[in-house]
Amino acid sequence: LDKVVGSAAAPYLTSVANSCGLARNYAGVAHPSLPNYIAATSGDTQGITDDLAPTTVGHYLNVPNIYQQVNTAGGTWRDYEESAAGNCMNGSSGLYAVKHDPAAYYSNIAPQCATWDMPLGGLTAGSFITALTGGGLPTFSFVTPNLCNDMHDCNTIAGDAWLRSWMPKLLSSPDYLAGRTAV
């Protein structure tokens, strides 16, 4: 955390943390990545201890999750995945990592995942920017940068630049300005 927030490589992220707050005592529930994504969206790691694909035995889960809860309440959700080559992918490709795309792991939302778990697109065209600029964000959105922009495979400067390019778009969106969006 201290290697990013407050560092010269992350001026934008540091400014967001300073103006909005920072959870200094938060830590991941497990390592590697996938158990954290599953826990964040279902409340538990569901016994997953690795980063394997949803096609792996024991990784395609029929458990309560936030996506299912949103559906049951009559809402909509979207997962916006940077560098994904298609909707609800069940394997990694290039800079897209399925281990960072939790919706792909839940069997009980498979019909929605096929439509609602989609490529992010870019700053001028694509599903996320269209939803942002058109005032069409769903009830719940999960936005995942690719392996470079999430600072897994690239440096902090890349992640900071990604956040600096997307946050102003989000903060100036009709949904955010109308008070219908929390980040």
Side-chain angles (χ1 to χ4, degrees), residues 9-176:
Y12 186 78
L13 196 147
T14 299
S15 73
V16 170
N18 288 339
S19 64
C20 297
L22 179 62
R24 288 205 169 270
N25 291 323
Y26 177 80
V29 296
H31 292 290
S33 297
L34 179 58
N36 291 290
Y37 285 82
I38 298 301
T41 54
S42 75
D44 189 87
T45 65
Q46 308 302 332
I48 292 178
T49 60
D50 54 46
D51 281 341
L52 298 178
T55 54
T56 305
V57 173
H59 285 60
Y60 200 45
L61 307 168
N62 184 9
V63 298
N65 57 74
I66 192 167
Y67 305 103
Q68 184 184 41
Q69 291 172 348
V70 169
N71 285 343
T72 300
T76 57
W77 61 267
R78 301 287 184 279
D79 269 21
Y80 299 101
E81 302 294 327
E82 187 177 31
S83 299
N87 288 17
C88 201
M89 295 182 62
N90 63 10
S92 298
S93 176
L95 290 175
Y96 165 77
V98 71
K99 66 186 178 183
H100 297 164
D101 185 358
Y105 288 84
Y106 297 113
S107 63
N108 51 9
I109 59 159
Q112 294 83 21
C113 188
T115 304
W116 292 354
D117 181 10
M118 60 187 61
L120 176 77
L123 292 166
T124 58
S127 57
F128 190 48
I129 196 69
T130 298
L132 284 176
T133 58
L137 287 173
T139 310
F140 175 76
S141 297
F142 196 96
V143 179
T144 309
N146 66 31
L147 286 171
C148 181
N149 291 322
D150 71 2
M151 297 183 273
H152 270 277
D153 291 358
C154 294
N155 60 30
T156 303
I157 294 168
D160 192 67
W162 187 89
L163 190 65
R164 185 177 53 251
S165 66
W166 278 106
M167 280 299 284
K169 302 267 187 202
L170 179 74
L171 298 176
S172 65
S173 72
D175 288 317
Y176 186 83

